[in-house]
Amino acid sequence: GENVEQHPSTLSVQEGDSAVIKCTYSDSASNYFPWYKQELGKGPQLIIDIRSNVGEKKDQRIAVTLNKTAKHFSLHITETQPEDSAVYFCAARASGFQKLVFGTGTRLLVSP
Amino acid sequence: NAGVTQTPKFQVLKTGQSMTLQCAQDMNHNSMYWYRQDPGMGLRLIYYSASEGTTDKGEVPNGYNVSRLNKREFSLRLESAAPSQTSVYFCAIRLGGQGALYEQYFGPGTRLTVT
């Protein structure tokens, strides 16, 4: 089955810097890759996703890149702000399955 | 997290006690999921239901049972709680139709402690 690895587990940056979180997946049939943000005491919330027929997707300060050959995808946050501090999860879905497999999460801390 | 409600928000159980976690959606979607979240482990799928009346095991189903009695509700039952089941439990629904969007939308969670 699918296995998703996520790095780093914690990431500290200064406000205004960029942050990059990386994930690798094992199943070459996976075709959907969402990223979730979880604030303290809340459920995860989708912030951006990408499908396997696209190499990059951008939404304001957030972007996701996908390298199908290497089976990895990354979340890029530019001009970080303190409110970006949260836990971020990547996930992957294999074609034909209704299940998402999640990475173990990255705790991002943005210091003013 | 409007659209997916979970009850209770917090619960403390003693080892061996039973309880049912409730999840309800008002978004009329077919697929519903139960996850548990533990430090350093991310979100792990316990059970899911592709449609009313059907359920399937996820990654960590042992010690749990589920019921999908109607389209709106998906409950998770712990028959004999163990300390290893101390966790935060999230219910989620899948948005979009067949072959379309696959976003999962999460409820606010239930924090369960088993002593």
Side-chain angles (χ1 to χ4, degrees), chain A residues 17 37-38 40 48-49 53 80 95 97 101-103 109 111:
Chain A
D17 288 350
K37 176 183 180 182
Q38 186 179 27
L40 196 61
I48 195 167
D49 56 14
N53 58 350
T80 54
S95 178
F97 289 88
V101 176
F102 285 82
L109 177 62
S111 303

Side-chain angles (χ1 to χ4, degrees), chain A residues 77-90:
Chain A
I77 306 174
T78 58
E79 300 172 20
T80 54
Q81 301 167 3
E83 51 265 38
D84 294 329
S85 295
V87 179
Y88 292 81
F89 292 98
C90 64

Side-chain angles (χ1 to χ4, degrees), chain A residues 58-71:
Chain A
K58 208 170 180 181
D59 183 4
Q60 298 183 338
R61 297 186 296 109
I62 294 173
V64 58
T65 58
L66 171 66
N67 183 326
K68 286 189 294 183
T69 303
K71 290 191 282 189

